[in-house]
Amino acid sequence: MSMTFTAARLRVSAVLTVAVVAGALLGVQPAQAARPGFRMPFLCGQTWQGNNWNGHSPAHAIDWNHYSASGGADDLGRRTVASAAGTVLESYYSTTSGYGNTIVIGHGDGWRTRYAHLKSRAVAKGAKVKRGTVIGRVGATSAKYNLSPHLHYEQIHNGRVVVAVVQGVTWSDGRKANQKSTNNC
């Protein structure tokens, strides 16, 4: 009886080992499976230009800009919305990091999003937000830098800024592209 139990445990251990090795070879990690379905942090139907330029601090962050039909920047004051449901963990003005008006939302399983340089913040620490809830307005605030208006956006997992995935699009470093929001469409 103990021989059968031990053999079964060995088979389960072997299957788990193969699954972990296969996942590592394919670049799949358990944390990736738990990633929320992040949407763009803007109203449905708006097209924004994202720029995840090499040398951006921190790496993997996206700067979002909106342009008018004539090509002029018109993002100052536009509404910023939660890219996934969660709880506001931080809502503050940073005088040390350069982020200015900042909101951090916790989404569970170690996932967070950060929205920085906001002109204004519409949610306080502890607030529960749904995906698409207006949390602030795009700005250029910073105690350290003179910035043009944009939204600085980060996806964070277990305290580390990671390569963002927005509406199924992976924003690898160096990516600059337009994307249309489907947040609460």
Side-chain angles (χ1 to χ4, degrees):
M1 179 102 166
S2 67
M3 189 67 140
T4 305
F5 180 71
T6 302
R9 286 176 59 189
L10 286 173
R11 276 193 295 268
V12 168
S13 178
V15 168
L16 289 174
T17 301
V18 168
V20 168
V21 169
L25 290 174
L26 295 172
V28 176
Q29 297 180 12
Q32 291 175 326
R35 183 189 296 259
F38 293 115
R39 301 292 175 99
M40 288 182 66
F42 307 108
L43 299 176
C44 175
Q46 291 185 354
T47 298
W48 287 71
Q49 183 179 81
N51 192 351
N52 185 349
W53 41 280
N54 289 318
H56 198 182
S57 180
H60 315 311
I62 303 172
D63 282 350
W64 292 102
N65 289 104
H66 190 274
Y67 297 94
S68 68
S70 62
D74 71 347
D75 35 5
L76 182 62
R78 283 189 175 265
R79 289 175 281 186
T80 301
V81 301
S83 61
T87 302
V88 177
L89 302 177
E90 301 176 61
S91 181
Y92 63 95
Y93 184 86
S94 172
T95 58
T96 58
S97 70
Y99 283 138
N101 277 318
T102 304
I103 295 171
V104 177
I105 300 174
H107 306 286
D109 294 326
W111 287 99
R112 297 176 178 199
T113 48
R114 180 185 331 266
Y115 312 78
H117 307 310
L118 297 166
K119 177 179 180 179
S120 61
R121 294 174 278 122
V123 292
K125 182 177 179 178
K128 304 282 187 210
V129 296
K130 296 179 183 176
R131 184 181 73 212
T133 299
V134 175
I135 59 170
R137 294 194 176 262
V138 174
T141 60
S142 174
K144 293 176 76 173
Y145 308 109
N146 185 13
L147 304 170
S148 58
H150 69 281
L151 178 69
H152 176 93
Y153 174 81
E154 301 171 12
Q155 290 179 4
I156 302 163
H157 188 249
N158 291 334
R160 248 183 58 238
V161 178
V162 296
V163 172
V165 177
V166 181
Q167 298 171 185
V169 176
T170 301
W171 283 82
S172 300
D173 291 348
R175 180 179 176 83
K176 182 177 183 178
N178 290 337
Q179 190 168 359
K180 187 174 185 176
S181 179
T182 61
N183 198 329
N184 280 359
C185 289

